[in-house]
Amino acid sequence: MKSQRVKSMLSAAVVIGTMASAHAEDVEVLHWWTSGGEAAALNVLKDDLAGQGIGWQDMPVAGGGGGNAMTVLRARVTSGTPPTAVQMLGFDIQDWAAEEVVANLNGVADAEGWNAVVPDALQQFSTYDGKWVSAPVNVHSTNWIWANKKLLKEVGAKQPETWEELIVTLDKLKAAGYIPLAHGGQPWQDATIFDSVVLTTGGIDFYKKAMIDLDPEALGSDTMVKIFDRMSQLRDYVDKNFPGRDWNLASALVIEDKAGMQIMGDWAKGEFLKAGKVPNEDFACFRMPGTQGMVTFNADQFVMFDVGDSKAQQAMAKAIMSPEFQSAFNVVKGSVPARTDVSNEAFDACGKKGMADLAEANKNGTLVGSMAHGHAAPAAVKNAVYDVVTNHFNGGMNSKQATKALVSAVQDAQ
Ligand code: BGC
């Protein structure tokens, strides 16, 4: 009896020992890639790591812009058990690096020559105090429209080139009984549309002044009143079920021929591809009218937290930055590579356009960080902008009141 107990204790110890060593080769990854297209892209990473014998512990927290994920992360770090790697955007990376809880990736970054291939616009977020703290996976941008080609044809609308033409197209869709604009009423989605409306209404210099420099004069200007007026205009084209709807369900409305278009970042393309839709045949991808040549970007990066010496963590960072992975992942995700030396060969027409637009904007000084997705200002300011934009979009105040509120909210948040 006794020996039986000892035996089972011993075998339990062996199992625990095996688990512990398997665990050492795992990465625990906190992310918000929970839609079909996002999950498909994430599988490219999981499979890549599995091929190297690295296990994956999934920690998904839904919500574009990463607000929810950042709340969960705070709790984990506070309790002293940070995940291995965390999907993160722009200024959040800098904030976490300042707390001295992130790993130093200079070893792998130097060995792999990251400095030479990652654009400065990204490096300014990936490095802190001379140290690489994150591996950039992609570059997305928010000033895109995803349109159903069949419906546009049916209602006799062409691809809009100006704001006025956009409104004409939306009116035609409305008259034909379709949902003109597929949208989900969540603050980050309202703010994603706002990025595009600021850019098309004010132009690049205004965007920089208002969204990046947070200049009170620009924030409180007549141009901003006009921007809010245009947000109200768009509000007239969403369906009554829009409140709270997830972004991928809004994409599904366009995919399923129920809605004409969605103003959304290029992660939306991942949903169309997942549904078997073909760019330029089933759906069109074009920049918000009036913003061709300009790009409001956001880059997903995996920030590596300080979890002690972890081979799996280093391997993950290296895998993310390999040119082959950057191509394979971004083809599925809808984004474009975070390295400048990846061929566009494997990308579809929208991906090729995304890569060309990014290179052109980078060259011309028209590449700006997305406010909605954490690349224009730190989280406190971003959240203040979310609040005002959403309140106004839902009729809580008029455009003049919203403009005034924006000035003070942004000021208070700094
Ligand atoms: C991220 C994308 C993601 C989207 C919706 C954005 O903030 O950068 O990778 O697909 O949110 O979840």
Side-chain angles (χ1 to χ4, degrees), residues 11-63:
S11 61
V14 169
V15 171
I16 290 170
T18 320
M19 276 170 56
S21 67
H23 189 79
E25 291 306 319
D26 277 1
V27 285
E28 190 192 9
V29 185
L30 173 56
H31 64 90
W32 63 94
W33 285 335
T34 53
S35 77
E38 291 173 330
L42 200 59
N43 280 338
V44 178
L45 180 57
K46 281 186 198 169
D47 292 348
D48 187 311
L49 297 182
Q52 302 180 48
I54 298 168
W56 182 278
Q57 290 181 38
D58 206 30
M59 221 192 144
V61 183

Side-chain angles (χ1 to χ4, degrees), residues 95-116:
D95 287 349
W96 280 105
E99 295 197 26
E100 299 182 352
V101 287
V102 298
N104 180 350
L105 299 176
N106 275 1
V108 55
D110 288 347
E112 299 291 315
W114 291 3
N115 281 320

Side-chain angles (χ1 to χ4, degrees), residues 105-250:
L105 299 176
N106 275 1
V108 55
D110 288 347
E112 299 291 315
W114 291 3
N115 281 320
V117 293
V118 176
D120 287 349
L122 265 56
Q123 282 196 38
Q124 78 180 62
F125 295 112
S126 343
T127 59
Y128 183 83
D129 216 4
K131 288 193 288 268
W132 280 86
V133 299
S134 60
V137 196
N138 63 16
V139 183
H140 272 302
S141 55
T142 56
N143 57 319
W144 284 106
I145 294 188
W146 307 90
N148 181 310
K149 287 205 75 161
K150 192 171 96 188
L151 297 196
L152 286 197
K153 194 161 172 225
E154 191 183 311
V155 305
K158 60 179 185 95
Q159 184 180 309
E161 304 282 346
T162 60
W163 179 266
E164 289 69 27
E165 285 181 16
L166 173 66
I167 298 301
V168 169
T169 299
L170 292 168
D171 278 335
K172 285 186 173 168
L173 286 159
K174 195 174 190 173
Y178 294 112
I179 301 168
L181 188 62
H183 182 58
Q186 296 173 347
W188 75 267
Q189 291 187 60
D190 301 337
T192 300
I193 295 189
F194 189 68
D195 273 358
S196 278
V197 178
V198 173
L199 198 58
T200 188
T201 311
I204 197 74
D205 290 340
F206 179 84
Y207 186 97
K208 285 182 185 166
K209 265 194 214 129
M211 299 287 102
I212 314 266
D213 302 342
L214 308 176
D215 169 20
E217 224 173 274
L219 287 167
S221 62
D222 289 346
T223 305
M224 190 57 76
V225 177
K226 185 169 174 195
I227 289 163
F228 279 113
D229 280 346
R230 286 181 161 186
M231 290 296 289
S232 306
Q233 232 181 327
L234 292 179
R235 170 73 174 75
D236 285 342
Y237 296 105
V238 306
D239 67 319
K240 68 174 189 340
N241 294 325
F242 88 100
R245 176 189 284 138
D246 285 334
W247 69 272
N248 51 314
L249 300 182

Side-chain angles (χ1 to χ4, degrees), residues 32-33 38 64-65 87 89 140 188 247 267 298 300 333 373:
W32 63 94
W33 285 335
E38 291 173 330
Q87 179 194 356
L89 297 172
H140 272 302
W188 75 267
W247 69 272
W267 47 89
N298 61 297
D300 292 301
K333 182 68 171 65
H373 294 267

Side-chain angles (χ1 to χ4, degrees), residues 233-294:
Q233 232 181 327
L234 292 179
R235 170 73 174 75
D236 285 342
Y237 296 105
V238 306
D239 67 319
K240 68 174 189 340
N241 294 325
F242 88 100
R245 176 189 284 138
D246 285 334
W247 69 272
N248 51 314
L249 300 182
S251 305
L253 293 173
V254 182
I255 292 169
E256 291 161 8
D257 299 340
K258 292 180 184 143
M261 62 178 79
Q262 181 182 21
I263 303 171
M264 187 45 68
D266 38 12
W267 47 89
K269 190 184 82 178
E271 299 305 299
F272 285 82
L273 298 183
K274 186 88 204 325
K277 300 293 176 188
V278 180
N280 288 349
E281 279 181 32
D282 301 312
F283 67 96
C285 53
F286 50 91
R287 296 289 172 179
M288 165 62 101
T291 72
Q292 180 59 50
M294 312 173 213

